[in-house]
């Protein structure tokens, strides 16, 4: 088990806007054996820690003199800036398994890609797993060197899970394979299809514009005749 990362938090007493202006991230601590508690953490320290720990690394969150074993449950980001605006910490029990989605990390080199110019296709980017909080992995490695030709397939049963980790996926579910490169004929066909799609879109736009112009002509107010002297 990796060394548990530590993070200090304070009880939050000001508004989220005031907290952020002071260089902190507002958050909430909740979970087993505690009532919901509004907290704040240093923005720079948490951002750095989260980039390394993610959602599946057990953290030691200290609030005053009390330490809490927590997982980051949810992180909210600013809609326009790459800034964290809020974080949820979930206190866990070390003797109770938790369910989590852990990202896959593809390692190694595939001969089907390198030597046969194939295209690596990933059916899954993460695994739905269960483990004790202290056994949750940051990610799970998938060795693609097993993909030696276009018939080779990596299934869930081929993925080596860390000790104490179980998967909710079926053993025969596909994780990755290599697709043969497209022939020149296929590429030409795709190019023609794309051209036809573009032409079809342009035709639709033109027809819609003509319909709008015709509708505007029909609804235009009639000219007022000149009065005879």
């Amino acid at each position: 088990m990796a060394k548990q990362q530590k993070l200090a938090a304070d009880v939050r007493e000001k508004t989220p806007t005031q907290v952020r202006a002071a260089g902190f991230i507002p958050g909430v601590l909740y979970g087993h054996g505690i009532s919901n508690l509004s907290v704040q953490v240093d923005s720079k320290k948490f951002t750095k820690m989260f980039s390394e720990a993610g959602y599946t690394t057990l953290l030691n969150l200290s609030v005053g003199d009390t330490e809490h074993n927590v997982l980051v449950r949810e992180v909210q980001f600013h809609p326009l800036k790459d800034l964290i605006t809020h974080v949820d910490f979930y206190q866990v029990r070390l003797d109770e398994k938790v369910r989590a989605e852990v990202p896959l990390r593809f390692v190694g080199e595939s001969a089907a890609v390198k030597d046969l110019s194939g295209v690596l296709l990933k059916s899954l980017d993460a695994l739905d797993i269960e483990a004790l909080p202290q056994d949750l992995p940051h990610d799970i490695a998938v060795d693609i060197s097993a993909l030696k030709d276009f018939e080779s397939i990596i299934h869930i049963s081929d993925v080596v899970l860390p000790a104490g980790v179980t998967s909710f996926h079926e053993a025969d579910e596909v994780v990755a394979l290599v697709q043969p490169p497209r022939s020149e004929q296929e590429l030409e066909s795709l190019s023609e299809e794309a051209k036809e799609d573009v032409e079809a879109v342009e035709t639709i736009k033109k027809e819609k514009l003509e319909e709008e112009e015709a509708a505007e002509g029909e609804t235009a107010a009639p000219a007022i005749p000149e009065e005879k002297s």
Side-chain angles (χ1 to χ4, degrees), residues 127-174:
L127 290 189
D128 187 11
I129 61 101
E130 184 179 63
L132 291 173
Q134 59 270 32
D135 292 333
L136 285 173
H138 179 65
D139 55 34
I140 296 174
V142 177
D143 187 0
I144 63 172
S145 62
L147 300 174
K148 302 181 182 301
D149 50 44
F150 302 134
E151 285 71 44
S152 301
I153 299 176
I154 296 177
H155 296 93
I156 287 291
S157 57
D158 302 314
V159 178
V160 180
L161 298 176
V165 175
T166 56
S167 167
F168 287 99
H169 297 263
E170 296 294 333
D172 60 351
E173 186 173 350
V174 175

Side-chain angles (χ1 to χ4, degrees), residues 12-14 17 22 27 50 62 68 83 99 123 132 153 163 203:
R12 178 164 60 87
E13 299 176 347
K14 297 183 179 181
T17 300
F50 181 66
S62 61
H68 304 267
L83 296 174
R99 189 166 180 168
S123 300
L132 291 173
I153 299 176
T203 299

